[in-house]
Amino acid sequence: VASQRAIGDHAGKKGVTIGLEALNRFECYLVNTMDDLSEHVDAIDRPHIKAMYDTFHANIEEADPIGAYTRNRRNVVHVHISEND
């Protein structure tokens, strides 16, 4: 969290927003669901650190992908859309 706060501060000075992504468990174990990612973004607490919602990873990890998005949309800055097949 501390390193991502520093990144967020630097991004703000440059006018850039960073979109962190929840990846499926086969690729990463840091955050796998949007609830976990949104909680992480809240802990970072920097306006230039946000979440990116990816339908490919959500299709694997979320029991309710639409609910995962709507519950956490306050932190979503970008959406990746992919077919599930």
Side-chain angles (χ1 to χ4, degrees):
V1 169
S3 65
Q4 291 175 347
R5 285 179 178 158
I7 291 167
D9 292 340
H10 182 70
K13 292 175 189 173
K14 299 295 182 181
V16 172
T17 299
I18 306 294
L20 302 178
E21 181 178 6
L23 300 176
N24 69 73
R25 68 197 114 132
F26 304 109
E27 295 182 31
C28 177
Y29 286 104
L30 180 61
V31 287
N32 301 117
T33 66
M34 284 305 294
D35 289 338
D36 289 344
L37 177 57
S38 194
E39 183 179 318
H40 185 67
V41 168
D42 288 342
I44 295 167
D45 194 30
R46 293 296 187 273
H48 291 274
I49 300 286
K50 294 291 185 182
M52 182 181 74
Y53 182 79
D54 188 308
T55 62
F56 173 81
H57 298 292
N59 183 60
I60 295 169
E61 294 297 336
E62 305 289 357
D64 177 11
I66 295 169
Y69 172 80
T70 56
R71 278 193 309 279
N72 299 292
R73 69 179 170 226
R74 73 187 183 285
N75 285 325
V76 174
V77 68
H78 184 75
V79 176
H80 272 181
I81 298 175
S82 121
E83 295 184 37
N84 63 359
D85 61 358

